[in-house]
Amino acid sequence: MVVDDKTVAWQHRFNESLPPREHDPRSPWQRDRGRILHSAAFRRLQNKTQVLSIGYNDFYRTRLTHSLEVAQIGTGIISQLAQMPDSAVPLADPALIEGICLAHDIGHPPFGHGGEIALNYMMRNHGGFEGNAQTFRILTKLEPYTKEHGMNLTRRTLLGVCKYPVSIDVLTRKNPPSAVANFRQLKASDWLPAKGLYQDDNAQYDWLITPLEPTDLAYLQMVRGDGITTHRKTCHKSFDCSIMELADDIAYGVHDLEDAIVMNLLNRELWQEHVVDNIKSIGPCWLSEHIDEMTAQLFSGHHYAQKNAIGALVNAFITAIDIAYDEAVKEPLLAYQAKLREPYCSGLNYLKQFVLHYVIRTPDIEQIRYRGQQTVMELFEAFSSDPLRLLPLNTQERWLKAQQDNPYRVIADYIAGMTDDYALKLHQRLFG
């Protein structure tokens, strides 16, 4: 098989001076997956909040188990798309998608979105903070697989992880709210971050997009919104990223739902009103025809029945995924997109909205998230007040080296890398 220069370019790594180990039979994507799977940043996900706070119960999912499930769903999507007749679709080794899915949440800070909002507020004058941007930073800079280039992954893997491939500076609204007099007065909805990449990581991003022609790059960097009172949003992503995003949405809408039902956080009446009735209205399909049967299983109180319903829901969504193609785009990795066809797309949106409003945004969960938010802001305030006294020695070295760039990013990196438990213990040590 003839491999063109563009295909080879997507397999390049930022530091090509580190060749594969002798007699290593793995593909580039398998090597990337191995680096992600064995990283310290990935292991820390076992003690980071997914929906319910760590320590609330030993059954529910963490960021680690969620990432494993997203990877499993992602490889299932690859099997589905492999049945499509278009041979031009740039399907790759399943290890590529698995690696992207395993890495997709690796930059999320402790305490879920509460920690993300806290760090974004504290970094409001220093480039902001956002979990997906932090993922890119960990993969390309922070994880000590190499001295300076993070995990030194291939271009294609990194492009697949970039859900929002535009600088946060371009996306952030121009009229942000005023700073608060006291952390406890911070309104979370005022400080939701723009979803993009840090300006601090421009060198890595510029290298990543080198293979793209100007028209394709403009397509990738297209944004929508006025950027005045609300953040702008990116419009496009790579084919691999579209697969990962669908896998993430399915895991979020179905598996996080399972946690809530098994732990009796939801009742059948709410489910009937906000999910069953809506799904029946989407039109004839397997999902609407079997929703009553799955409802009986989900609320049966029997784990085996619940598992059967969850598996059936996941399978229904995976097998409803098709491939869309934009002939105006030259780069195949951008021209092709995995899409969930209707009416299944509407069905999944009903599940996601139900989980959002009746699991994630309940007062009990928000109060726990608020506590984590306060913890992160107080830690940041302490470290920035006297970094050469309070930061660990290796982080102090990074702080000193970053004086000409953005030293506050070093503090954000340190706190974002903490697990929930470590952040609470450190906060207790400083303020308890």
PDB file of all heavy atoms in Angstrom, residues 65 90 95 116 129 132 138 140 144 153 173-174 181-182 199 211 223 274-275 298 309 315 321-322 356 362 410:
ATOM      1  N   THR A  65     -13.323   5.471  35.370  1.00  0.00           N
ATOM      2  CA  THR A  65     -14.229   4.462  34.826  1.00  0.00           C
ATOM      3  C   THR A  65     -15.048   5.042  33.672  1.00  0.00           C
ATOM      4  O   THR A  65     -15.348   4.340  32.706  1.00  0.00           O
ATOM      5  CB  THR A  65     -15.170   3.913  35.915  1.00  0.00           C
ATOM      6  OG1 THR A  65     -15.916   4.986  36.502  1.00  0.00           O
ATOM      7  CG2 THR A  65     -14.370   3.209  37.001  1.00  0.00           C
ATOM      8  N   PRO A  90     -11.425   7.790   6.417  1.00  0.00           N
ATOM      9  CA  PRO A  90     -10.109   7.584   7.051  1.00  0.00           C
ATOM     10  C   PRO A  90     -10.179   6.822   8.371  1.00  0.00           C
ATOM     11  O   PRO A  90      -9.690   7.300   9.404  1.00  0.00           O
ATOM     12  CB  PRO A  90      -9.604   9.021   7.247  1.00  0.00           C
ATOM     13  CG  PRO A  90     -10.844   9.823   7.447  1.00  0.00           C
ATOM     14  CD  PRO A  90     -11.888   9.189   6.546  1.00  0.00           C
ATOM     15  N   ALA A  95      -7.076   1.221  18.061  1.00  0.00           N
ATOM     16  CA  ALA A  95      -6.246   1.742  19.159  1.00  0.00           C
ATOM     17  C   ALA A  95      -6.176   3.263  19.131  1.00  0.00           C
ATOM     18  O   ALA A  95      -6.011   3.898  20.176  1.00  0.00           O
ATOM     19  CB  ALA A  95      -4.838   1.152  19.079  1.00  0.00           C
ATOM     20  N   GLU A 116     -13.327  23.411  37.750  1.00  0.00           N
ATOM     21  CA  GLU A 116     -13.033  24.096  36.488  1.00  0.00           C
ATOM     22  C   GLU A 116     -13.436  25.569  36.555  1.00  0.00           C
ATOM     23  O   GLU A 116     -12.672  26.460  36.151  1.00  0.00           O
ATOM     24  CB  GLU A 116     -13.776  23.393  35.352  1.00  0.00           C
ATOM     25  CG  GLU A 116     -13.480  23.964  33.975  1.00  0.00           C
ATOM     26  CD  GLU A 116     -14.229  23.224  32.880  1.00  0.00           C
ATOM     27  OE1 GLU A 116     -15.460  23.023  33.027  1.00  0.00           O
ATOM     28  OE2 GLU A 116     -13.598  22.862  31.879  1.00  0.00           O
ATOM     29  N   PHE A 129      -8.937  29.132  32.282  1.00  0.00           N
ATOM     30  CA  PHE A 129      -8.743  27.698  32.491  1.00  0.00           C
ATOM     31  C   PHE A 129      -9.940  26.957  31.916  1.00  0.00           C
ATOM     32  O   PHE A 129     -11.088  27.378  32.066  1.00  0.00           O
ATOM     33  CB  PHE A 129      -8.604  27.350  33.977  1.00  0.00           C
ATOM     34  CG  PHE A 129      -8.398  25.882  34.219  1.00  0.00           C
ATOM     35  CD1 PHE A 129      -7.111  25.354  34.273  1.00  0.00           C
ATOM     36  CD2 PHE A 129      -9.477  25.013  34.348  1.00  0.00           C
ATOM     37  CE1 PHE A 129      -6.906  23.983  34.457  1.00  0.00           C
ATOM     38  CE2 PHE A 129      -9.287  23.655  34.530  1.00  0.00           C
ATOM     39  CZ  PHE A 129      -8.002  23.149  34.582  1.00  0.00           C
ATOM     40  N   ASN A 132     -10.654  20.895  28.676  1.00  0.00           N
ATOM     41  CA  ASN A 132     -10.156  20.350  27.413  1.00  0.00           C
ATOM     42  C   ASN A 132      -8.824  20.978  27.015  1.00  0.00           C
ATOM     43  O   ASN A 132      -7.945  20.305  26.472  1.00  0.00           O
ATOM     44  CB  ASN A 132     -11.198  20.567  26.313  1.00  0.00           C
ATOM     45  CG  ASN A 132     -12.487  19.820  26.582  1.00  0.00           C
ATOM     46  OD1 ASN A 132     -12.585  18.630  26.356  1.00  0.00           O
ATOM     47  ND2 ASN A 132     -13.486  20.531  27.097  1.00  0.00           N
ATOM     48  N   ILE A 138      -1.483  18.853  29.055  1.00  0.00           N
ATOM     49  CA  ILE A 138      -0.877  17.684  29.696  1.00  0.00           C
ATOM     50  C   ILE A 138      -0.239  16.767  28.664  1.00  0.00           C
ATOM     51  O   ILE A 138       0.891  16.299  28.831  1.00  0.00           O
ATOM     52  CB  ILE A 138      -1.942  16.923  30.510  1.00  0.00           C
ATOM     53  CG1 ILE A 138      -2.318  17.719  31.765  1.00  0.00           C
ATOM     54  CG2 ILE A 138      -1.433  15.534  30.917  1.00  0.00           C
ATOM     55  CD1 ILE A 138      -3.498  17.155  32.517  1.00  0.00           C
ATOM     56  N   THR A 140       0.850  17.462  25.649  1.00  0.00           N
ATOM     57  CA  THR A 140       1.936  18.042  24.851  1.00  0.00           C
ATOM     58  C   THR A 140       3.070  18.638  25.672  1.00  0.00           C
ATOM     59  O   THR A 140       4.151  18.867  25.136  1.00  0.00           O
ATOM     60  CB  THR A 140       1.390  19.144  23.924  1.00  0.00           C
ATOM     61  OG1 THR A 140       0.778  20.175  24.719  1.00  0.00           O
ATOM     62  CG2 THR A 140       0.378  18.586  22.946  1.00  0.00           C
ATOM     63  N   PRO A 144       5.340  13.776  32.312  1.00  0.00           N
ATOM     64  CA  PRO A 144       6.789  13.584  32.193  1.00  0.00           C
ATOM     65  C   PRO A 144       7.212  12.302  31.491  1.00  0.00           C
ATOM     66  O   PRO A 144       8.139  11.621  31.925  1.00  0.00           O
ATOM     67  CB  PRO A 144       7.249  13.599  33.654  1.00  0.00           C
ATOM     68  CG  PRO A 144       6.085  13.070  34.423  1.00  0.00           C
ATOM     69  CD  PRO A 144       4.866  13.576  33.709  1.00  0.00           C
ATOM     70  N   LEU A 153       2.821  12.603  21.648  1.00  0.00           N
ATOM     71  CA  LEU A 153       1.900  11.788  20.855  1.00  0.00           C
ATOM     72  C   LEU A 153       1.927  12.191  19.383  1.00  0.00           C
ATOM     73  O   LEU A 153       2.446  13.248  19.020  1.00  0.00           O
ATOM     74  CB  LEU A 153       0.480  11.929  21.396  1.00  0.00           C
ATOM     75  CG  LEU A 153       0.282  11.604  22.880  1.00  0.00           C
ATOM     76  CD1 LEU A 153      -1.171  11.850  23.282  1.00  0.00           C
ATOM     77  CD2 LEU A 153       0.685  10.165  23.189  1.00  0.00           C
ATOM     78  N   ARG A 173     -15.763  35.933  25.817  1.00  0.00           N
ATOM     79  CA  ARG A 173     -16.602  37.121  25.646  1.00  0.00           C
ATOM     80  C   ARG A 173     -15.868  38.383  26.074  1.00  0.00           C
ATOM     81  O   ARG A 173     -15.025  38.366  26.975  1.00  0.00           O
ATOM     82  CB  ARG A 173     -17.893  36.966  26.453  1.00  0.00           C
ATOM     83  CG  ARG A 173     -17.673  36.791  27.940  1.00  0.00           C
ATOM     84  CD  ARG A 173     -18.993  36.572  28.652  1.00  0.00           C
ATOM     85  NE  ARG A 173     -18.784  36.237  30.057  1.00  0.00           N
ATOM     86  CZ  ARG A 173     -19.783  36.027  30.910  1.00  0.00           C
ATOM     87  NH1 ARG A 173     -21.030  36.104  30.495  1.00  0.00           N
ATOM     88  NH2 ARG A 173     -19.530  35.721  32.171  1.00  0.00           N
ATOM     89  N   LYS A 174     -16.224  39.496  25.454  1.00  0.00           N
ATOM     90  CA  LYS A 174     -15.518  40.756  25.672  1.00  0.00           C
ATOM     91  C   LYS A 174     -15.994  41.505  26.911  1.00  0.00           C
ATOM     92  O   LYS A 174     -15.317  42.415  27.390  1.00  0.00           O
ATOM     93  CB  LYS A 174     -15.666  41.653  24.442  1.00  0.00           C
ATOM     94  CG  LYS A 174     -15.198  41.019  23.144  1.00  0.00           C
ATOM     95  CD  LYS A 174     -13.763  40.504  23.236  1.00  0.00           C
ATOM     96  CE  LYS A 174     -13.337  39.819  21.946  1.00  0.00           C
ATOM     97  NZ  LYS A 174     -11.990  39.195  22.070  1.00  0.00           N
ATOM     98  N   ALA A 181     -16.104  40.278  45.667  1.00  0.00           N
ATOM     99  CA  ALA A 181     -15.377  40.721  46.857  1.00  0.00           C
ATOM    100  C   ALA A 181     -14.969  39.550  47.733  1.00  0.00           C
ATOM    101  O   ALA A 181     -13.973  39.618  48.456  1.00  0.00           O
ATOM    102  CB  ALA A 181     -16.238  41.705  47.658  1.00  0.00           C
ATOM    103  N   ASN A 182     -15.746  38.474  47.650  1.00  0.00           N
ATOM    104  CA  ASN A 182     -15.480  37.291  48.470  1.00  0.00           C
ATOM    105  C   ASN A 182     -15.773  36.055  47.634  1.00  0.00           C
ATOM    106  O   ASN A 182     -16.759  36.018  46.900  1.00  0.00           O
ATOM    107  CB  ASN A 182     -16.375  37.315  49.720  1.00  0.00           C
ATOM    108  CG  ASN A 182     -16.067  36.196  50.688  1.00  0.00           C
ATOM    109  OD1 ASN A 182     -16.308  35.018  50.397  1.00  0.00           O
ATOM    110  ND2 ASN A 182     -15.530  36.551  51.852  1.00  0.00           N
ATOM    111  N   GLN A 199      -3.440  30.129  24.973  1.00  0.00           N
ATOM    112  CA  GLN A 199      -2.434  30.834  24.177  1.00  0.00           C
ATOM    113  C   GLN A 199      -1.027  30.392  24.591  1.00  0.00           C
ATOM    114  O   GLN A 199      -0.098  30.419  23.786  1.00  0.00           O
ATOM    115  CB  GLN A 199      -2.597  32.343  24.356  1.00  0.00           C
ATOM    116  CG  GLN A 199      -1.851  33.184  23.331  1.00  0.00           C
ATOM    117  CD  GLN A 199      -2.234  34.641  23.395  1.00  0.00           C
ATOM    118  OE1 GLN A 199      -2.599  35.145  24.463  1.00  0.00           O
ATOM    119  NE2 GLN A 199      -2.157  35.331  22.277  1.00  0.00           N
ATOM    120  N   PRO A 211       0.105  20.342   8.734  1.00  0.00           N
ATOM    121  CA  PRO A 211      -0.272  19.665   7.486  1.00  0.00           C
ATOM    122  C   PRO A 211      -1.499  20.244   6.776  1.00  0.00           C
ATOM    123  O   PRO A 211      -1.762  19.891   5.622  1.00  0.00           O
ATOM    124  CB  PRO A 211      -0.563  18.225   7.942  1.00  0.00           C
ATOM    125  CG  PRO A 211       0.121  18.076   9.257  1.00  0.00           C
ATOM    126  CD  PRO A 211       0.033  19.427   9.885  1.00  0.00           C
ATOM    127  N   VAL A 223     -15.726  29.842  13.896  1.00  0.00           N
ATOM    128  CA  VAL A 223     -16.434  30.019  15.166  1.00  0.00           C
ATOM    129  C   VAL A 223     -17.775  30.678  14.904  1.00  0.00           C
ATOM    130  O   VAL A 223     -18.023  31.253  13.841  1.00  0.00           O
ATOM    131  CB  VAL A 223     -15.606  30.869  16.158  1.00  0.00           C
ATOM    132  CG1 VAL A 223     -14.282  30.202  16.474  1.00  0.00           C
ATOM    133  CG2 VAL A 223     -15.386  32.276  15.619  1.00  0.00           C
ATOM    134  N   HIS A 274     -40.335  13.096  31.695  1.00  0.00           N
ATOM    135  CA  HIS A 274     -39.327  13.872  30.978  1.00  0.00           C
ATOM    136  C   HIS A 274     -38.530  13.063  29.957  1.00  0.00           C
ATOM    137  O   HIS A 274     -37.815  13.654  29.137  1.00  0.00           O
ATOM    138  CB  HIS A 274     -38.364  14.520  31.972  1.00  0.00           C
ATOM    139  CG  HIS A 274     -39.027  15.523  32.855  1.00  0.00           C
ATOM    140  ND1 HIS A 274     -39.323  16.807  32.437  1.00  0.00           N
ATOM    141  CD2 HIS A 274     -39.476  15.425  34.129  1.00  0.00           C
ATOM    142  CE1 HIS A 274     -39.908  17.467  33.417  1.00  0.00           C
ATOM    143  NE2 HIS A 274     -40.006  16.655  34.467  1.00  0.00           N
ATOM    144  N   VAL A 275     -38.624  11.746  30.006  1.00  0.00           N
ATOM    145  CA  VAL A 275     -37.884  10.932  29.042  1.00  0.00           C
ATOM    146  C   VAL A 275     -38.821  10.070  28.201  1.00  0.00           C
ATOM    147  O   VAL A 275     -38.853  10.176  26.973  1.00  0.00           O
ATOM    148  CB  VAL A 275     -36.823  10.045  29.744  1.00  0.00           C
ATOM    149  CG1 VAL A 275     -36.104   9.175  28.717  1.00  0.00           C
ATOM    150  CG2 VAL A 275     -35.813  10.912  30.477  1.00  0.00           C
ATOM    151  N   LEU A 298     -35.190  -0.833  33.928  1.00  0.00           N
ATOM    152  CA  LEU A 298     -34.378   0.141  34.663  1.00  0.00           C
ATOM    153  C   LEU A 298     -34.869   0.331  36.091  1.00  0.00           C
ATOM    154  O   LEU A 298     -34.072   0.521  37.013  1.00  0.00           O
ATOM    155  CB  LEU A 298     -34.378   1.487  33.931  1.00  0.00           C
ATOM    156  CG  LEU A 298     -33.562   1.570  32.647  1.00  0.00           C
ATOM    157  CD1 LEU A 298     -33.833   2.879  31.925  1.00  0.00           C
ATOM    158  CD2 LEU A 298     -32.078   1.426  32.940  1.00  0.00           C
ATOM    159  N   ALA A 309     -30.920  -3.294  30.090  1.00  0.00           N
ATOM    160  CA  ALA A 309     -31.501  -2.086  29.497  1.00  0.00           C
ATOM    161  C   ALA A 309     -30.421  -1.089  29.104  1.00  0.00           C
ATOM    162  O   ALA A 309     -30.482  -0.481  28.026  1.00  0.00           O
ATOM    163  CB  ALA A 309     -32.478  -1.448  30.484  1.00  0.00           C
ATOM    164  N   ASN A 315     -26.281   0.112  22.611  1.00  0.00           N
ATOM    165  CA  ASN A 315     -26.263  -0.521  21.301  1.00  0.00           C
ATOM    166  C   ASN A 315     -27.160   0.216  20.308  1.00  0.00           C
ATOM    167  O   ASN A 315     -26.817   0.377  19.131  1.00  0.00           O
ATOM    168  CB  ASN A 315     -26.705  -1.978  21.413  1.00  0.00           C
ATOM    169  CG  ASN A 315     -26.701  -2.689  20.072  1.00  0.00           C
ATOM    170  OD1 ASN A 315     -25.656  -3.002  19.511  1.00  0.00           O
ATOM    171  ND2 ASN A 315     -27.895  -2.949  19.531  1.00  0.00           N
ATOM    172  N   ILE A 321     -25.324   5.345  14.120  1.00  0.00           N
ATOM    173  CA  ILE A 321     -24.314   6.325  13.724  1.00  0.00           C
ATOM    174  C   ILE A 321     -23.927   6.116  12.261  1.00  0.00           C
ATOM    175  O   ILE A 321     -23.635   5.007  11.838  1.00  0.00           O
ATOM    176  CB  ILE A 321     -23.077   6.226  14.642  1.00  0.00           C
ATOM    177  CG1 ILE A 321     -23.451   6.646  16.070  1.00  0.00           C
ATOM    178  CG2 ILE A 321     -21.934   7.096  14.115  1.00  0.00           C
ATOM    179  CD1 ILE A 321     -22.348   6.438  17.088  1.00  0.00           C
ATOM    180  N   ASP A 322     -23.940   7.204  11.512  1.00  0.00           N
ATOM    181  CA  ASP A 322     -23.558   7.202  10.101  1.00  0.00           C
ATOM    182  C   ASP A 322     -22.368   8.131   9.892  1.00  0.00           C
ATOM    183  O   ASP A 322     -21.873   8.749  10.842  1.00  0.00           O
ATOM    184  CB  ASP A 322     -24.725   7.658   9.217  1.00  0.00           C
ATOM    185  CG  ASP A 322     -25.887   6.672   9.217  1.00  0.00           C
ATOM    186  OD1 ASP A 322     -25.616   5.458   9.321  1.00  0.00           O
ATOM    187  OD2 ASP A 322     -27.039   7.120   9.126  1.00  0.00           O
ATOM    188  N   LEU A 356     -28.667  16.013  33.131  1.00  0.00           N
ATOM    189  CA  LEU A 356     -28.179  17.333  33.514  1.00  0.00           C
ATOM    190  C   LEU A 356     -29.072  17.970  34.577  1.00  0.00           C
ATOM    191  O   LEU A 356     -28.580  18.464  35.602  1.00  0.00           O
ATOM    192  CB  LEU A 356     -28.106  18.232  32.280  1.00  0.00           C
ATOM    193  CG  LEU A 356     -27.672  19.677  32.513  1.00  0.00           C
ATOM    194  CD1 LEU A 356     -26.234  19.738  33.016  1.00  0.00           C
ATOM    195  CD2 LEU A 356     -27.820  20.495  31.231  1.00  0.00           C
ATOM    196  N   THR A 362     -28.885  18.977  40.730  1.00  0.00           N
ATOM    197  CA  THR A 362     -29.716  18.920  41.931  1.00  0.00           C
ATOM    198  C   THR A 362     -29.021  19.675  43.058  1.00  0.00           C
ATOM    199  O   THR A 362     -27.781  19.762  43.089  1.00  0.00           O
ATOM    200  CB  THR A 362     -29.956  17.468  42.357  1.00  0.00           C
ATOM    201  OG1 THR A 362     -28.692  16.843  42.631  1.00  0.00           O
ATOM    202  CG2 THR A 362     -30.677  16.699  41.264  1.00  0.00           C
ATOM    203  N   VAL A 410       1.451  27.889  36.032  1.00  0.00           N
ATOM    204  CA  VAL A 410       2.113  26.825  36.791  1.00  0.00           C
ATOM    205  C   VAL A 410       1.268  26.443  38.009  1.00  0.00           C
ATOM    206  O   VAL A 410       1.122  25.261  38.336  1.00  0.00           O
ATOM    207  CB  VAL A 410       3.530  27.271  37.220  1.00  0.00           C
ATOM    208  CG1 VAL A 410       4.170  26.232  38.134  1.00  0.00           C
ATOM    209  CG2 VAL A 410       4.397  27.526  35.997  1.00  0.00           C
TER     210      VAL A 410
END
